[in-house]
Amino acid sequence: SIAITLGAKKVAKRAYEWCGRHEVVSHVLSDQAAVEACLAFSTDHRVLVEPACGVSLAALYNPHPLLQGRKNILVIVCGGAGVTIAQLLEWQKNFSESS
């Protein structure tokens, strides 16, 4: 994956505890969906984010059925220092060429 900053090396104790008290649903999205969300977010908010953040945004730009009926969805947006608009556009071009 191009979302190289997506995973943590260690789970925080409080995050682990939280998972025991609330439903956690895992969903995998493509790198292409992440890049498209990064580009949409940059257009909508004039902020660049890396694909590791874009993948969370992709779940909102292309709502997954798991989100139907949900209210007050929170997505923490961070991490644009490791990407440029040129890099995002190049990834997008590569995805469209391979489709």
Side-chain angles (χ1 to χ4, degrees):
S1 174
I2 60 173
I4 58 173
T5 59
L6 190 56
K9 293 180 181 180
K10 184 177 178 182
V11 177
K13 181 180 177 187
R14 295 276 294 156
Y16 184 76
E17 290 169 354
W18 187 88
C19 292
R21 294 190 308 267
H22 302 280
E23 178 185 18
V24 176
V25 179
S26 178
H27 182 66
V28 178
L29 296 168
S30 68
D31 284 344
Q32 183 174 2
V35 168
E36 289 172 359
C38 289
L39 291 167
F41 191 77
S42 71
T43 298
D44 293 346
H45 299 283
R46 305 291 188 247
V47 175
L48 282 180
V49 295
E50 297 173 19
C53 177
V55 74
S56 296
L57 295 169
L60 301 179
Y61 279 108
N62 301 300
H64 188 274
L66 290 170
L67 296 178
Q68 287 182 338
R70 307 281 180 158
K71 295 181 181 180
N72 302 320
I73 298 169
L74 171 70
V75 176
I76 298 172
V77 178
C78 61
V83 72
T84 65
I85 192 71
Q87 190 173 29
L88 290 170
L89 292 170
E90 183 65 25
W91 282 327
Q92 182 186 46
K93 178 183 166 193
N94 291 340
F95 291 133
S96 64
E97 288 174 355
S98 64
S99 297

